[in-house]
């Protein structure tokens, strides 16, 4: 684990499975259907139980009839996870032809905003869009760290990036230490 405290918020890196974290908010790298998928999304629904999917179905039946747009975030129960809420956000699919960085930054910003509104102090993020959605890890890590350092405000005290493998962990560590 490595830690850096450039601002009020503490940014922490952990290698592991985000569904095993004890935090106020676990952020889900969802897809716009909100009805489950692979990667982080699959793990969250598998370990969190059916309460999360039920809450997502309610969102589809009400506020998000067409699905959650890319770059936006919405909170539900965390079901059986050791967290108070899951904040679902939809990352952009990486594109060589089009710069979608602002949408990826928006995922972190909107998730932090939702978490702060709920009163969360601790928030765990995966490396959004760096799995099935194909975002290069180094660029994804730069956007993640930069946005969190700029946007995390009280009552958020700790933002924890939970990185699934050694490559992701090392990349985030390099990006974070480069920021001093
Ligand atoms: P996306 O569709 O946004 O790319 P994925 O869930 O496919 O989302 O992957 C996002 C990142 O999360 C990838 O780096 C992947 O290796 C990682 N990941 C997959 N499962 C987990 C998990 N259980 N906990 C933390 N990170 C995970």
């Amino acid at each position: 684990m490595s830690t850096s405290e450039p601002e009020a918020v503490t940014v922490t890196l952990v290698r592991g499975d985000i569904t095993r974290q004890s935090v106020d908010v676990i952020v889900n790298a969802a897809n716009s259907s909100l009805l489950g998928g692979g990667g982080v999304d699959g793990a969250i629904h598998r370990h969190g139980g059916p309460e999360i999917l039920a809450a997502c179905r309610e969102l589809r039946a009400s506020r998000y009839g067409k699905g959650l747009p890319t770059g936006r975030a919405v909170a539900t129960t965390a079901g059986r996870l050791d967290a108070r809420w899951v904040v679902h956000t939809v990352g952009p699919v990486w594109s060589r032809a089009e710069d979608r960085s602002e949408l990826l930054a928006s995922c972190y910003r909107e998730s932090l905003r939702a978490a702060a509104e709920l009163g969360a102090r601790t928030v765990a993020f995966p490396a959004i869009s760096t799995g099935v959605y194909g975002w290069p890890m180094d660029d994804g890590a730069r956007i993640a760290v930069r946005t969190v350092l700029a946007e995390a405000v009280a009552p958020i005290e700790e933002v924890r990036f939970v990185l699934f493998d050694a490559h992701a962990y090392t990349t985030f560590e390099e990006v974070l230490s480069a920021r001093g």
Side-chain angles (χ1 to χ4, degrees):
M1 186 184 288
S2 80
T3 296
S4 132
E5 296 184 60
E7 324 273 354
V9 66
T10 301
V11 175
T12 312
L13 307 183
V14 174
R15 184 170 168 195
D17 180 343
I18 199 164
T19 66
R20 304 301 174 182
Q21 302 299 308
S22 304
V23 282
D24 291 328
V25 164
I26 291 176
V27 176
N28 182 17
N31 59 55
S32 76
S33 81
L34 290 175
L35 301 180
V40 174
D41 202 10
I44 283 177
H45 286 288
R46 203 158 51 244
H47 294 292
E51 296 89 348
I52 301 174
L53 189 56
C56 287
R57 286 192 201 284
E58 275 176 31
L59 287 168
R60 285 300 306 273
S62 54
R63 279 162 69 191
Y64 294 110
K66 292 181 179 161
L68 183 66
T70 304
R72 300 271 293 278
V74 66
T76 67
T77 175
R80 299 168 198 175
L81 298 175
D82 190 11
R84 295 169 73 190
W85 304 279
V86 169
V87 168
H88 307 263
T89 189
V90 182
V93 175
W94 190 73
S95 163
R96 198 176 286 279
E98 187 187 8
D99 182 4
R100 300 176 178 165
S101 305
E102 182 43 41
L103 283 170
L104 184 54
S106 174
C107 289
Y108 289 99
R109 187 166 55 239
E110 294 300 312
S111 297
L112 289 167
R113 196 215 308 251
E117 279 172 6
L118 290 164
R121 293 182 176 196
T122 51
V123 181
F125 277 102
I128 299 167
S129 287
T130 64
V132 172
Y133 284 2
W135 209 284
M137 188 61 75
D138 54 352
D139 196 54
R142 275 194 295 272
I143 293 169
V145 167
R146 184 201 312 140
T147 309
V148 161
L149 290 175
E151 305 283 345
V153 291
I156 296 170
E157 295 168 358
E158 180 194 349
V159 171
R160 190 180 306 172
F161 289 109
V162 183
L163 293 327
F164 209 44
D165 57 29
H167 171 62
Y169 184 89
T170 307
T171 306
F172 270 74
E173 203 174 33
E174 283 168 8
V175 168
L176 196 55
S177 61
R179 297 197 54 111

